[in-house]
């Protein structure tokens, strides 16, 4: 690793001050499961590394007036063990469980996962399907934006160098919304997603409502399959429509073709993943 | 340089290292705990697994500064020269390991798993060790060793089949 200065603030204010002082030659570190790997390979020192892993404001999972609030510093292991998440957003547990292996999940945080903004991130699809919002803190105070606007491009988010991600909020109306998540990798543990997917909808009067279908590893950022969603929205519940929507979802993605899997194979996975997550959401709605 | 004070296997230790030092490097090169191994250096193999405040982490992915004030457990803390820890004993009895390079990581992951105090199935064990790669054994005897250790330590039985499997 190239030499850098290391700061370990104990409060969020101190962290923001450090970011403001050293921006743009400053980088945030939390679990390090992505960034420490990067630090080992970069040709240039980041200047200053601010370790935010001690900030209490980034911890905790709770129900607030806005909905389910998950601190950006909550680890994947903490998500898997949390009773509120199990009750209100269980698909997040399925997603967290697929991240790396135990050691990675013990250090890696939800916020860190979202900020990496890699197409294959496993927490993205479920959160997008549940219309998650994110709160960003910076020198000018805090701002809240939808997660869909947070993802800008591969490895690029809406964060400025002097800002940090504080929390992720699943809006109140989506707590308990039936949802399903799936990940396809080359093996069960320690494998990046070839394709991952999440679906969520409500069933009202026998009709699909507020349909969300999100796909990962198939475009520069995690995307929603809007045309597939439209196939179901407002229609009477049917397996045939789910099958049709899954086929349409493939047309909305642009997966890569590489040594791990061909484009054709990934397209098949998109259809299967979209279909199975819709079926899982339907099963949850009927449960 | 960053001055670091932490506890390793119950003893307070201090070191002064450059900020770009990983916990693994500090343990091995500054504090002489060479049990945790450097394998891949990117979080894939688990050879560097140690426990930090009771949870298994890849020491190659944690900066030394992040371990400030933490309680670290390494393989050196498990046995004395006279007596093996029950996990080590079980691994020896069933010949879990061949070259042994993955051993310290496998054993520390196993310790973290058993320390959680939950009822374990074979699938739970596989899941808990999926971040520990072994290039020699094919894993079967490692899982047998973990099952024996768990049963010895807790007095419980690992079910033959996983009742939670779909
Ligand atoms: C072996 C291995 C396997 C992995 N497998 C998977 C996998 O299967 N699926 C998957 O999705 N990911 C995987 N990852 C990637 C990584 O573990 C996750 O993305 C993890 O959630 C990152 O969180 P972190 O806290 O470790 O982030 P860090 O490495 O600390 O940071 C990552 C990035 O986010 C920034 N950052 C972190 N927190 C904040 C914040 N609160 N505000 C602003 N910026 C912030 C950092 O500056 C950095 O750019 C794997 C990594 C490893 C090493
Ligand atoms: S050396 Fe740390 S995981 Fe391989
Ligand atoms: S025994 Fe050689 S790597 Fe596991």
């Amino acid at each position: 690793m190239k030499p850098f200065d290391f700061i370990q603030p104990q409060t969020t204010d101190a962290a923001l001050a450090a970011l403001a002082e050293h921006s743009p030659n400053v980088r945030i570190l939390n679990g390090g499961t992505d960034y420490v790997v990067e630090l080992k390979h970069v040709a240039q020192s980041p200047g200053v590394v601010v370790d935010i892993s001690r900030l209490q404001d980034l911890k905790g999972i709770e129900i607030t007036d806005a909905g389910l609030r998950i601190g950006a510093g909550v680890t994947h292991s903490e998500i898997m063990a949390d009773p509120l998440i199990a009750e209100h957003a269980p698909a997040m547990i399925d997603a967290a469980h697929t991240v790396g292996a135990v050691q990675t999940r013990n250090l890696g945080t939800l916020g860190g996962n979202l900020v990496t903004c890699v197409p294959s991130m496993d927490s993205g699809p479920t959160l997008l399907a549940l219309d998650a919002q994110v709160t960003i803190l910076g020198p000018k105070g805090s701002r809240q934006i939808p997660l869909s606007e947070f993802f800008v491009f591969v490895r690029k988010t809406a964060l400025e160098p002097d800002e940090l991600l504080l929390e992720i909020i699943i809006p109140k109306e989506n707590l308990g919304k039936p949802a399903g998540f799936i990940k396809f990798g080359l093996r069960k543990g320690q494998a990046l997603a070839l394709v991952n997917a999440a679906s969520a909808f409500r069933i009202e009067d026998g009709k699909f409502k507020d349909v969300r279908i999100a796909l990962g590893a198939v475009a520069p950022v995690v995307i929603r399959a809007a045309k597939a969603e439209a196939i179901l929205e407002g229609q009477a519940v049917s397996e045939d429509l789910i099958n049709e929507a899954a086929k349409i979802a493939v047309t909305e993605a642009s997966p890569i073709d590489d040594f791990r899997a061909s484009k054709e194979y990934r397209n098949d996975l998109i259809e299967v993943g979209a279909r199975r997550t819709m079926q899982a959401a339907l099963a949850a709605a009927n449960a | 340089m960053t001055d670091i004070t932490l506890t390793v296997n119950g003893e307070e230790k201090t070191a002064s290292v450059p900020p770009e030092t990983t916990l693994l490097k500090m343990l091995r090169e500054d504090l002489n705990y060479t049990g945790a191994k450097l394998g891949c250096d990117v979080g894939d193999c688990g050879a560097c697994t140690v426990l930090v405040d009771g949870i298994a982490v890849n020491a190659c992915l944690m900066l030394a500064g992040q371990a400030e004030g933490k309680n670290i457990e390494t393989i050196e803390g498990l046995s004395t020269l006279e007596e093996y820890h029950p996990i080590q004993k079980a691994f020896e009895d069933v010949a879990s390991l061949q070259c042994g390079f993955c051993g310290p990581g496998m054993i520390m992951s196993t310790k973290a798993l058993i320390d959680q105090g939950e009822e374990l199935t074979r699938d739970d064990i596989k899941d808990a060790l999926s971040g520990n790669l072994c290039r020699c054994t094919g894993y079967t005897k490692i899982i047998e060793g973990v099952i024996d250790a768990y049963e010895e330590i807790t007095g419980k039985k690992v079910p033959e089949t996983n009742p939670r499997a779909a």
Side-chain angles (χ1 to χ4, degrees):
Chain A
M1 282 186 259
K2 296 280 179 288
F4 51 78
D5 288 329
F6 180 75
I7 306 180
Q8 190 174 67
Q10 304 295 322
T11 66
T12 305
D13 284 346
L16 289 170
L19 291 174
E21 183 184 344
H22 301 288
S23 171
N25 301 314
V26 65
R27 283 290 298 271
I28 289 173
L29 169 71
N30 201 342
T33 59
D34 186 81
Y35 190 48
V36 172
V37 177
E38 186 182 328
L39 274 173
K40 290 180 188 190
H41 297 118
V42 289
Q44 220 187 340
S45 164
V48 178
V49 171
V50 178
D51 173 20
I52 59 167
S53 64
R54 309 267 161 141
L55 304 184
Q56 283 310 310
D57 291 347
L58 270 63
K59 287 285 169 192
I61 300 168
E62 63 246 329
I63 300 284
T64 66
D65 290 345
L68 181 63
R69 180 239 180 233
I70 305 149
V74 168
T75 65
H76 301 292
S77 295
E78 286 165 349
I79 288 171
M80 284 171 63
D82 190 79
L84 287 174
I85 296 202
E87 184 182 346
H88 299 291
M92 279 187 72
I93 294 186
D94 297 334
H97 197 166
T98 70
V99 175
V102 175
Q103 294 94 322
T104 335
R105 301 196 284 268
N106 282 344
L107 285 180
T109 62
L110 181 60
N113 194 246
L114 298 175
V115 177
T116 60
C117 210
V118 293
S120 64
M121 64 161 74
D122 286 313
S123 61
T126 312
L127 290 175
L128 217 49
L130 293 174
D131 307 324
Q133 299 270 321
V134 295
T135 312
I136 295 168
L137 289 183
K140 286 174 248 122
S142 88
R143 60 190 174 110
Q144 207 172 73
I145 59 170
L147 183 61
S148 52
E149 287 171 25
F150 185 73
F151 298 144
V152 175
F153 195 65
V154 184
R155 290 204 166 262
K156 169 125 192 60
T157 68
L159 284 176
E160 300 293 333
D162 55 1
E163 291 183 318
L164 64 79
L165 180 62
L166 173 69
E167 63 192 10
I168 295 89
I169 294 169
I170 296 175
K172 202 192 240 153
E173 65 272 17
N174 285 349
L175 298 189
K177 184 170 178 179
F181 170 83
I182 200 165
K183 167 180 175 174
F184 298 105
L186 292 181
R187 62 191 283 259
K188 233 178 175 179
Q190 213 66 316
L192 294 183
L194 296 174
V195 166
N196 56 21
S199 297
F201 47 68
R202 270 179 270 277
I203 306 291
E204 272 180 30
D205 304 326
K207 295 189 173 119
F208 292 110
K209 194 160 178 289
D210 301 327
V211 181
R212 302 284 184 272
I213 300 166
L215 302 171
V218 303
V221 296
V222 183
I223 56 164
R224 273 186 41 199
K227 287 182 202 152
E229 292 173 356
I231 301 269
L232 298 192
E233 189 68 48
Q235 301 298 315
V237 171
S238 97
E239 280 281 339
D240 286 350
L241 271 188
I242 286 182
N243 295 340
E244 190 187 332
K247 284 195 167 60
I248 298 294
V250 178
T251 66
E252 300 181 74
S254 46
I256 55 166
D257 198 345
D258 74 356
F259 64 98
R260 292 190 303 139
S262 66
K263 192 179 165 89
E264 290 73 23
Y265 183 61
R266 287 172 202 259
N267 277 333
D268 286 348
L269 292 179
I270 295 167
E271 182 180 338
V272 175
R275 187 173 68 230
R276 289 197 195 153
T277 56
M278 285 184 271
Q279 287 166 342
L282 185 58
N286 291 332
Chain B
M1 300 293 269
T2 316
D3 292 324
I4 289 149
T5 304
L6 74 181
T7 307
V8 184
N9 302 329
E11 283 177 51
E12 188 173 291
K13 297 279 170 183
T14 57
S16 189
V17 297
E20 61 276 11
T21 308
T22 62
L23 171 61
L24 180 65
K25 189 166 196 280
M26 178 175 73
L27 284 171
R28 291 180 56 85
E29 295 177 17
D30 297 272
L31 300 173
N32 280 320
Y33 292 95
T34 54
K37 301 287 179 257
L38 175 65
C40 64
D41 209 16
V42 291
D44 280 324
C45 75
C48 64
T49 304
V50 300
L51 309 195
V52 176
D53 290 345
I55 63 169
V57 310
N58 291 322
C60 72
L61 292 187
M62 184 179 260
L63 294 184
Q66 296 190 287
E68 167 67 33
K70 302 273 187 190
N71 191 5
I72 316 294
E73 291 169 70
T74 71
I75 189 80
E76 286 91 343
L78 292 196
S79 60
T80 61
L81 282 179
E82 289 74 40
E83 203 178 1
Y84 272 167
H85 184 279
I87 302 172
Q88 292 167 312
K89 178 81 175 59
F91 271 51
E92 187 189 57
D93 285 349
V94 299
S96 294
L97 303 174
Q98 290 180 22
C99 83
F101 190 83
C102 67
M106 287 285 178
I107 290 171
M108 294 317 286
S109 285
T110 303
K111 180 167 192 295
L113 176 69
I114 296 177
D115 283 355
Q116 281 174 1
E118 285 175 19
E119 305 252 332
L120 297 183
T121 64
R122 188 175 272 266
D123 279 358
D124 293 332
I125 292 168
K126 284 191 190 166
D127 188 43
L129 295 184
S130 65
N132 292 85
L133 303 188
C134 175
R135 294 296 78 164
C136 302
T137 67
Y139 302 100
T140 308
K141 286 182 178 262
I142 292 175
I143 291 165
E144 274 177 38
V146 177
I147 292 175
D148 286 358
Y150 167 77
E151 295 185 344
E152 168 71 23
I153 292 169
T154 64
K156 293 175 188 156
K157 279 259 167 244
V158 171
E160 281 300 320
T161 49
N162 179 5
R164 273 184 267 165

